[in-house]
Amino acid sequence: MSKSSLFALLLAAVLLTLALPGTASACPVCYGAPGTQVTEAIDTAVLFMLGVVMVMLGSAGAFIWYLRGKAIEVAAAEQHAAQLKAATAQA
């Protein structure tokens, strides 16, 4: 599909949408009519999905923090072992 035919198709879609605005308007559910059961369910579902994302990101962050602590412990133990080895070599 050439650029000119794609542009013509896009222009036709825009003009058709402008010519028939009633057809292009959203339904009350899509528009977000307040107080309906469907919009309340959608709001709850969105909050649940956000909660799942936050739990997953929080778990990953906690695991990284745990690994950081273990790496610090290992580095300290290796440094202590190196100091003991140096002290025994001098004696």
Side-chain angles (χ1 to χ4, degrees), residues 30-52:
C30 298
Y31 187 65
T36 62
Q37 289 181 343
V38 175
T39 54
E40 290 176 11
I42 290 171
D43 291 343
T44 304
V46 167
L47 290 176
F48 175 75
M49 289 186 285
L50 285 172
V52 169

Side-chain angles (χ1 to χ4, degrees), residues 13 15-27:
L15 290 176
L16 185 61
T17 303
L18 292 175
L20 304 170
T23 309
S25 65
C27 66

